[in-house]
């Protein structure tokens, strides 16, 4: 098992677990490796020394830019902490709401007009549907959910 430090094009750092180096490359080529925060599949492998016990050195992991100048990012403990808190908050929100899927606009109206009991819901709505709900005085908020959190909650 290979545990790799990865980073998306927006600088979000995360780990990936792969059976082998070939497995990692194959999944990247097929677009299966994506950032758990923003769902970007533009992922790069960060330099790492997995067999060295240098946990203190990870606190200020700096990524040098490549020849094209990309990935000039520093992953600080604070940034990792903020990302972890955001993922935790997203998991909490998903656990505390009912997924009504593409019935979101209709269900939000039914709740707003008292046809069904109040409850927290989430789902998909087009921009036009969300604007129509706002025009009716129904508060809605768009929130992108990373693909990694859309499956069963663990």
């Amino acid at each position: 098992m290979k545990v790799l430090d990865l980073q998306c094009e927006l600088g979000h750092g995360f780990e990936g677990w792969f059976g082998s180096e070939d497995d990692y490359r194959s999944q990247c080529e097929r677009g299966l490796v994506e950032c758990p925060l923003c769902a970007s599949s533009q992922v790069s492998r960060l330099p790492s020394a997995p067999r060295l016990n240098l946990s203190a050195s990870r606190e200020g992991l700096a990524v040098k830019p490549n020849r094209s100048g990309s990935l000039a990012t520093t992953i600080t403990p604070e940034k990792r902490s903020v990302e972890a808190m955001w993922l935790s908050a997203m998991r909490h929100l998903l656990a505390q709401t009912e997924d009504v899927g593409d019935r979101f606009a209709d269900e939000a109206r039914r709740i707003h007009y008292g046809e069904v009991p109040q409850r927290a819901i989430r789902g998909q709505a087009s921009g036009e549907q969300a604007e129509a709900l706002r025009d009716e005085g129904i508060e809605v908020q768009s929130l992108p959910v990373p693909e990694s959190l859309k499956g069963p909650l663990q």
Side-chain angles (χ1 to χ4, degrees):
M1 183 66 59
K2 290 188 82 93
V3 180
L4 304 177
D5 288 326
L6 305 173
Q7 184 177 44
C8 76
E9 62 187 333
L10 298 176
H12 302 132
F14 58 99
E15 281 186 352
W17 291 45
F18 303 93
S20 66
E21 183 71 26
D22 291 336
D23 187 28
Y24 163 70
R25 286 190 187 124
S26 171
Q27 288 186 38
C28 283
E29 289 169 3
R30 294 180 292 161
L32 299 176
V33 180
E34 67 179 30
C35 175
L37 292 173
C38 66
S40 170
S41 60
Q42 299 295 315
V43 174
S44 300
R45 183 176 170 182
L46 296 175
S48 63
R51 294 202 171 130
L52 299 176
N53 186 9
L54 301 174
S55 59
S57 69
R58 289 186 62 130
E59 291 179 12
L61 177 63
V63 179
K64 295 180 182 178
N66 60 22
R67 289 191 174 125
S68 67
S70 62
L71 287 183
T73 309
T74 299
I75 302 172
T76 63
E78 293 80 15
K79 184 173 182 179
R80 285 187 193 268
S81 177
V82 168
E83 291 171 355
M85 287 188 299
W86 185 83
L87 277 174
S88 177
M90 287 299 298
R91 284 187 189 103
H92 178 77
L93 178 109
L94 294 176
Q96 301 301 316
T97 57
E98 177 186 344
D99 186 2
V100 295
D102 58 4
R103 299 179 298 113
F104 179 81
D106 294 332
E107 201 63 25
R109 283 187 181 94
R110 292 178 63 208
I111 292 169
H112 181 74
Y113 294 113
E115 297 171 15
V116 295
Q118 285 264 340
R119 67 190 192 284
I121 61 170
R122 60 185 155 82
Q124 295 81 41
S126 68
E128 295 82 23
Q129 289 174 319
E131 190 60 35
L133 289 170
R134 288 184 191 102
D135 289 344
E136 291 179 48
I138 303 170
E139 293 185 35
V140 296
Q141 179 65 46
S142 297
L143 184 63
V145 177
E147 285 297 319
S148 61
L149 295 180
K150 289 183 179 178
L153 296 177
Q154 298 180 19

